[in-house]
Amino acid sequence: FLHLKFDDTVKSDSEKPQIIIDFNGKHKIYSADCYVIYHQSAGKKNSIVEVKYENELAKDRENLTNKFERARASLQKIDMDFLLFTDATYPEIYIRNLDFLYRYKVFTHQSDNSARILNGLCRPMPALELANSIAHNKSDYLHVCNSIWSLVAYGYLDADLMNEEVTMNSVIWINNERH
């Protein structure tokens, strides 16, 4: 559920929440993988999320299907959704790219780099070309590169995260919805 860290509609998330579900007329504690609270403006219901591998689902399909249906029914009573993510929900390259970018969610970049990057990006171009065009020296180049990926991680810049591995050769562009 790494993609939740990049979803602007998510207000917060917490791991391993416990909820009470109805199981054959008895209340049972259900431990899920994640509880997601969405911003009210997103128009989404807060959700309980399960993450499973496809082969794990295949091995225990009947039991897990029943478990998830009970959770879904219990959550519906309190106006929440149940979401199931598997290793097939998103392309593997997308998850690898998010894993790479996640470190830049916590990176503190220099604000003057942000302005230089956003002003220097007049058209979609490879990150390498942008960094080379605005960096003053080798040390500055490293700071600019880190700031580029931080801006991608925070959604100010975009790249094709679904289809190709993020590298300095990746084409980046300004996310006009955020800028």
Side-chain angles (χ1 to χ4, degrees), residues 151-170:
L151 289 169
V152 172
Y154 280 100
Y156 293 98
L157 298 180
D158 263 332
D160 185 1
L161 302 178
M162 288 286 193
N163 297 305
E164 58 186 50
E165 182 178 8
V166 172
T167 69
M168 288 302 291
N169 292 318
S170 296

Side-chain angles (χ1 to χ4, degrees), residues 72-103:
R72 189 171 277 117
S74 294
L75 290 168
Q76 192 172 28
K77 291 176 186 176
I78 57 173
D79 199 32
M80 288 180 61
D81 277 337
F82 178 86
L83 304 174
L84 175 64
F85 294 117
T86 72
D87 47 329
T89 301
Y90 294 103
E92 184 180 337
I93 190 75
Y94 177 65
I95 300 302
R96 284 198 319 260
N97 284 336
L98 294 185
D99 186 49
F100 166 75
L101 290 171
Y102 186 66
R103 71 195 82 205

Side-chain angles (χ1 to χ4, degrees), residues 106-171:
V106 296
F107 170 74
T108 305
H109 66 279
Q110 299 169 342
S111 59
D112 62 324
N113 282 343
S114 294
R116 287 177 24 201
I117 291 165
L118 293 170
N119 290 333
L121 190 58
C122 53
R123 62 177 169 75
M125 69 175 70
L128 179 65
E129 182 181 335
L130 176 62
N132 282 331
S133 71
I134 63 174
H136 302 300
N137 55 48
K138 195 170 193 169
S139 174
D140 188 39
Y141 172 85
L142 297 174
H143 290 286
V144 166
C145 291
N146 285 333
S147 293
I148 287 171
W149 298 123
S150 182
L151 289 169
V152 172
Y154 280 100
Y156 293 98
L157 298 180
D158 263 332
D160 185 1
L161 302 178
M162 288 286 193
N163 297 305
E164 58 186 50
E165 182 178 8
V166 172
T167 69
M168 288 302 291
N169 292 318
S170 296
V171 173

Side-chain angles (χ1 to χ4, degrees), residues 19-24 27 30 45 48 64-83:
I19 62 168
I20 304 292
I21 63 171
D22 183 39
F23 181 72
N24 296 332
H27 295 302
Y30 177 78
K45 294 179 182 180
I48 293 293
L64 290 173
T65 299
N66 289 334
K67 179 180 173 182
F68 296 158
E69 286 306 316
R70 288 189 306 271
R72 189 171 277 117
S74 294
L75 290 168
Q76 192 172 28
K77 291 176 186 176
I78 57 173
D79 199 32
M80 288 180 61
D81 277 337
F82 178 86
L83 304 174

